[in-house]
Amino acid sequence: MLDRDGYRPNVGIILVNHNNEVFWGKRVREHSWQFPQGGIKPGESPEAAMYRELEEEVGLLPQHVKILGRTRDWLRYDVPINWVRREWRGSYRGQKQIWFLLRLVGRDYDVCLRATNHPEFDGWRWSDYWEPIDNVIEFKRDVYERALTELMRFIKGVESRGEYQGRISVAHPAPDSPKS
């Protein structure tokens, strides 16, 4: 179901552990990583869709997580035309998402990527809070940055994006940069 502007309603899920690291899933048979996400069915609330997608993609149930916050409004991204199914071209533009920030209150072993017959991920890891922005597919980067920035207010002790970039550039200097 698309809205009048050609965007499919969707939820995005940022799951953090007790160290404020984020769940980062590797897409099945691909070398790409992303946060869990999925469509909102007609008549389904964003929260209900989030819990359904969380169980389908990550195998976690409501008792395994605590909702810390959600974005105030829809965040949109356009999908490049070459990624759009031929039959949808001209009507489909991309996704509009409500993003949820969840805290894992269960254990790592509660994660089950095979909760359904059609898994989305075949691997996962915990990553620094800001790392996904630099590693997600280009057309999702802006939405990831906006979601992480808006939702960081719900977590104590998360470094700013600038602090993260400074720490990473010191730890991993560019090949041609002078050494101090």
Side-chain angles (χ1 to χ4, degrees):
M1 183 173 99
L2 301 178
D3 69 11
R4 69 173 189 255
D5 297 320
Y7 291 95
R8 178 177 174 241
N10 194 283
V11 292
I13 301 168
I14 300 170
L15 176 67
V16 296
N17 65 13
H18 66 281
N19 293 322
N20 294 331
E21 296 167 314
V22 294
F23 175 96
W24 197 223
K26 182 187 162 298
R27 302 226 358 128
V28 170
R29 294 180 299 279
E30 294 182 23
H31 295 290
S32 62
W33 294 71
Q34 70 175 48
F35 288 134
Q37 67 175 56
I40 299 173
K41 295 179 179 179
E44 189 176 43
S45 71
E47 186 173 316
M50 178 274 297
Y51 280 123
R52 179 180 48 74
E53 290 292 337
L54 184 69
E55 183 175 0
E56 289 174 5
E57 296 189 4
V58 185
L60 295 176
L61 301 172
Q63 64 264 27
H64 296 129
V65 298
K66 176 183 177 188
I67 298 175
L68 301 179
R70 61 169 268 180
T71 55
R72 292 178 193 97
D73 292 312
W74 297 101
L75 302 180
R76 291 171 174 78
Y77 66 82
D78 289 348
V79 174
I81 193 72
N82 58 314
W83 286 64
V84 177
R85 292 183 197 160
R86 192 173 306 272
E87 65 269 18
W88 288 7
R89 290 186 184 163
S91 60
Y92 178 78
R93 288 187 61 189
Q95 309 267 6
K96 69 178 187 179
Q97 300 174 313
I98 295 291
W99 282 84
F100 287 87
L101 177 66
L102 308 177
R103 167 87 60 206
L104 178 66
V105 295
R107 305 272 187 225
D108 284 4
Y109 61 73
D110 293 323
V111 172
C112 175
L113 302 182
R114 303 272 180 236
T116 68
N117 292 330
H118 303 287
E120 295 279 331
F121 303 120
D122 60 14
W124 71 277
R125 63 185 167 119
W126 294 113
S127 295
D128 284 339
Y129 186 83
W130 298 103
E131 183 181 327
I133 295 170
D134 298 323
N135 294 300
V136 73
I137 194 162
E138 179 67 33
F139 64 85
K140 292 184 181 182
R141 274 196 189 137
D142 181 58
V143 164
Y144 271 47
E145 184 164 14
R146 290 179 10 221
L148 287 163
T149 299
E150 181 177 342
L151 294 171
M152 74 177 281
R153 66 190 166 102
F154 295 107
I155 308 175
K156 290 185 173 138
V158 173
E159 64 189 343
S160 71
R161 173 93 165 117
E163 290 168 333
Y164 167 77
Q165 289 173 318
R167 180 171 57 83
I168 294 305
S169 67
V170 168
H172 306 286
D176 295 334
S177 65
K179 295 182 174 57
S180 339

